[in-house]
Amino acid sequence: MLIGIDSLEIATPELYLDMTDLAVARGVDPAKFHTGLGQDQMAVAPATTDVVTLAARAAAAVLDRAEEADTASLGLVVVGSESAVDASKAMAVMVHGLLGLPEGVRAFDIREACYAGTAGLMTAVDYVAAHPGRTALVIASDLARYGLGTGGEPTQGAGAVAMLVRQDPRLLVIDPASTARTQDVYDFWRPEGESVPRVDGHLSNRCYTDMFARVLAAHQEASGLGLEDFAALCFHLPYTKMGRKALAGVLPPEEAEARGLGHLHRRYDDSLVYSRRVGNCYTASLYLGVASLLDHCDLRAGDRLGLFSYGSGAVGELVTVTVVEGFGARRDPGATVSALDARRRLGVEEYESVLTESLGPVGEDASATLLPDEGPYALTGVVDGVRRYRRP
Ligand code: HMG
């Protein structure tokens, strides 16, 4: 049975900061952010945009594209996120409510740093395999925030990617035989009650590149697939230079050219177009890269792609997918670019005020918060710990 992603849609906040503006304000050479990290812009979420509103927007776009039969067959809604808004109630249940989904659905969250979205996706593949004819909605949604003036500040961002998983998918077929590795390490973590993570940035870079090399070698041994079998590779993108460093670690560009594998480096660039403008969105980042690759690369039906997922803590997984005939008709790159172009550019002071406010409690009435979300879904306040949302 062929199972995989039938559609994939993105939602990002309506505000952004230009990385040159941030560099100037912090007294840093802008080239460090644009070239050293590979980031041009960074999405900024106001207090009324949270992981639930982003997830709902992305999921609503997926359901708009879905066949009626696929929506009627929905049996599973999973949110992968590390930005939980409640310690008990699942964000998947909130999204289920906002979208008015049928009651006969399992809805739950998965957490393991940036790996959670992939855990959700592979759970959905297993679910559809065990329940032929059913579909699953997987949403990766996160706000990546480190705080003002921190080392991680230029690697912030926010966004959600929603995917419909079903039999005979029209975008990407997923090979269930992926390769995962787990290693208990404190490279990035967020203790309960703290609003921003603690991170050992340089250790986290090393953990990421080591994990990629180990997972790739293990996948090769288990599946017999080597680098020469992939048309392109997509990576978790905490900043767009990161995957390039991991790839260069196992395949330096000169060696790639000599082995006829230069396309892996060239196509890596095609996977960065959206992330350069959005920044890190934790669990959603890998799938933002997949969307960018599908929208900007000269892929053909039957091409095999490797997706490297990394979540600090740490879990890494290499998932193999195959491009389906007619996949281009399932994407609308123009709409994604227009949505990014339509965002409002913040000044650095505005960004600082919005970020500071969004890291604090929202209160019962969110209408007076800075630059409120004008999209279809928005947080309107928190009363007795109950989050209240506007929906269309
Ligand atoms: P830093 O110390 O500010 O930067 O930390 P740096 O000094 O390492 O410089 C960064 C790059 O810019 C270097 O390139 C410099 O050479 C270059 P590299 O050697 O790495 O190729 N550079 C310049 N280039 C051009 N012109 C210049 C210039 N100056 C320097 N003038 C760091 C950077 C990413 C560590 C920091 O921002 C951070 O801690 N970020 C958060 C952690 C992170 O993103 N880690 C990534 C791996 S872990 C992961 O992906 C998981 C995660 O998403 C969380 C989860 O799983 O939930 C984070």
Side-chain angles (χ1 to χ4, degrees), residues 16-20 34 38-43 154 156-157 274-280 340-341 343 345:
Y16 77 95
L17 181 67
D18 190 278
M19 297 305 281
T20 298
H34 291 285
Q39 291 305 133
D40 301 322
Q41 299 172 351
M42 181 171 98
Q156 300 177 116
Y274 301 144
S275 296
R276 289 191 73 96
R277 302 185 64 183
V278 171
N280 196 358
L340 292 173
D341 288 346
R343 296 174 304 168
R345 178 174 175 170

Side-chain angles (χ1 to χ4, degrees), residues 74-128:
L74 195 64
L76 181 69
V77 180
V78 188
V79 170
S81 179
E82 58 180 282
S83 316
V85 294
D86 190 288
S88 178
K89 188 178 167 89
M91 293 176 283
V93 171
M94 299 182 200
V95 172
H96 176 275
L98 285 174
L99 298 181
L101 295 176
E103 199 181 10
V105 162
R106 283 182 194 150
F108 58 86
D109 294 348
I110 297 186
R111 184 182 71 182
E112 173 17 57
C114 300
Y115 169 70
T118 301
L121 185 62
M122 299 314 278
T123 299
V125 171
D126 291 346
Y127 171 80
V128 174

Side-chain angles (χ1 to χ4, degrees), residues 11-16 43-46 49 54 57 143 157-160 278 339-340 343-344 373:
T12 62
E14 296 161 342
L15 311 174
Y16 77 95
V44 180
T49 300
L54 289 171
R57 260 176 57 204
L143 308 182
V278 171
L340 292 173
R343 296 174 304 168
R344 177 179 158 181
D373 191 328

Side-chain angles (χ1 to χ4, degrees), residues 48 362-367 378-382 387-391:
T48 47
V362 171
E364 294 197 353
D365 178 8
S367 60
L379 181 66
T380 56
V382 182
R387 299 178 78 81
R388 302 207 187 284
Y389 290 96
R390 183 185 72 231
R391 64 174 179 181

Side-chain angles (χ1 to χ4, degrees), residues 132-150:
R134 303 305 296 260
T135 61
L137 180 61
V138 178
I139 312 157
S141 182
D142 264 313
L143 308 182
R145 298 178 299 195
Y146 293 90
L148 301 178
T150 59

